[in-house]
Amino acid sequence: MTVHENLLGGPPPTHLPDDPEPRELLASGTAPAEVAAKHPTSSLAWAQLADDAFAAGRVVESYAYARTGYHRGLDALRRNGWKGHGPVPFEHEPNRGFLRALHALARAAGAIGEKDEHERCTTFLKESSPTAAATLS
């Protein structure tokens, strides 16, 4: 088996490079908006903004934050060899920002009645990381 195959013969798992500063800033209590402004490519910061907005009942705002984090994550995945499908393991901590943004996008899409996007994102999350789908749901 080559390094480019997983056990099922599909694409290898994508492991994003670690960028600990946004995670550390959020963990220390820095406001997510401040972290996103300082690290606009951080899916984790946008996912946290999406979660906070959703919890406060600002669903459309949550949707916008989640969509930003999702697209930032897609950009990062592509830069790191992802070809549009394949595993994005939740167990690899740097992947969690993207997976959280994807989950938040599915949740917000469902809340605003965007059924097709909700289903697409839910399926994408399950296919990318069954662990993330189970953990975040």
Side-chain angles (χ1 to χ4, degrees):
M1 181 167 61
T2 71
V3 72
H4 298 290
E5 296 176 12
N6 68 24
L7 294 175
L8 301 176
T14 301
H15 295 100
L16 294 173
D18 197 14
D19 183 11
E21 188 173 359
R23 185 174 61 246
E24 291 166 358
L25 287 169
L26 290 168
S28 74
T30 302
E34 187 178 328
V35 178
K38 186 174 181 183
H39 298 278
T41 62
S42 171
S43 289
L44 181 61
W46 294 107
Q48 187 62 55
L49 285 165
D51 288 348
D52 292 351
F54 194 86
R58 300 186 317 270
V59 178
V60 172
E61 188 177 324
S62 176
Y63 180 89
Y65 287 138
R67 181 158 282 293
T68 301
Y70 166 75
H71 281 286
R72 292 300 191 149
L74 287 177
D75 292 343
L77 287 168
R78 288 180 184 119
R79 279 193 308 274
N80 286 279
W82 186 75
K83 303 293 186 208
H85 66 287
V88 181
F90 186 75
E91 295 80 2
H92 182 67
E93 190 167 7
N95 290 351
R96 291 182 184 176
F98 166 73
L99 295 166
R100 283 184 54 195
L102 178 57
H103 166 74
L105 183 56
R107 179 186 59 206
I112 64 172
E114 183 67 40
K115 183 180 177 197
D116 290 345
E117 183 163 48
H118 169 75
E119 290 175 3
R120 179 183 61 79
C121 290
T122 299
T123 299
F124 185 13
L125 182 63
K126 288 177 186 174
E127 289 175 352
S128 297
S129 174
T131 301
T135 301
L136 299 172
S137 297

